[in-house]
Amino acid sequence: QVQLVESGGGLVQAGGSLRLSCAASGRTPSNYDMGWFRQAPGKEREFVARISGSGVLTHYADSVKGRFTISRDNAKTTVYLQMNSLKPEDTAVYYCAADRDWVRLGLSPDYWGQGTQVTVSS
């Protein structure tokens, strides 16, 4: 199993930036692909971005492409989501996720963090 703990959420004005972190612990985090999802009030949880265990492969939702960047540290235990040019519609609870399978990560990951709130004011 792997445990995930997010941090870095907060309140920011439109056009601003935030960086989310997700610390993974447990059984060999580097063997897991990791990603971010978000859920806005009254909406379903949606995929945001994912990164492979090696850190080589990345994939983004169209809504964040060019504004958000996902990365992971050299030890492969922490994943970051750099969010620039934030918009009010980015307001949501952001969840870190992990899975050993790349395809399943993008759809229904096995492991989830507790979530961190991001609020973008207009």
Side-chain angles (χ1 to χ4, degrees):
Q1 285 196 350
V2 64
Q3 293 78 42
L4 306 172
V5 179
E6 304 100 330
S7 61
L11 174 65
V12 63
Q13 288 189 331
S17 299
L18 279 176
R19 190 176 80 156
L20 306 183
S21 299
C22 175
S25 60
R27 297 190 65 178
T28 321
S30 59
N31 287 344
Y32 289 79
D33 300 326
M34 295 179 66
W36 292 92
F37 287 71
R38 66 186 181 186
Q39 187 168 20
K43 295 187 177 181
E44 292 188 354
R45 191 174 299 188
E46 64 176 1
F47 165 79
V48 175
R50 54 182 169 170
I51 187 167
S52 61
S54 65
V56 172
L57 188 62
T58 59
H59 175 230
Y60 298 91
D62 288 343
S63 58
V64 306
K65 201 173 295 183
R67 299 188 297 122
F68 291 11
T69 302
I70 190 170
S71 62
R72 61 195 303 169
D73 67 344
N74 289 336
K76 307 295 188 289
T77 59
T78 302
V79 171
Y80 304 98
L81 186 68
Q82 178 66 44
M83 305 185 295
N84 298 329
S85 302
L86 282 161
K87 305 174 181 180
E89 50 264 45
D90 294 318
T91 295
V93 178
Y94 283 70
Y95 296 90
C96 181
D99 202 291
R100 294 178 68 96
D101 183 85
W102 177 256
V103 173
R104 192 165 60 213
L105 174 64
L107 298 174
S108 183
D110 279 345
Y111 302 101
W112 294 93
Q114 82 286 352
T116 186
Q117 177 70 46
V118 172
T119 303
V120 184
S121 63
S122 57

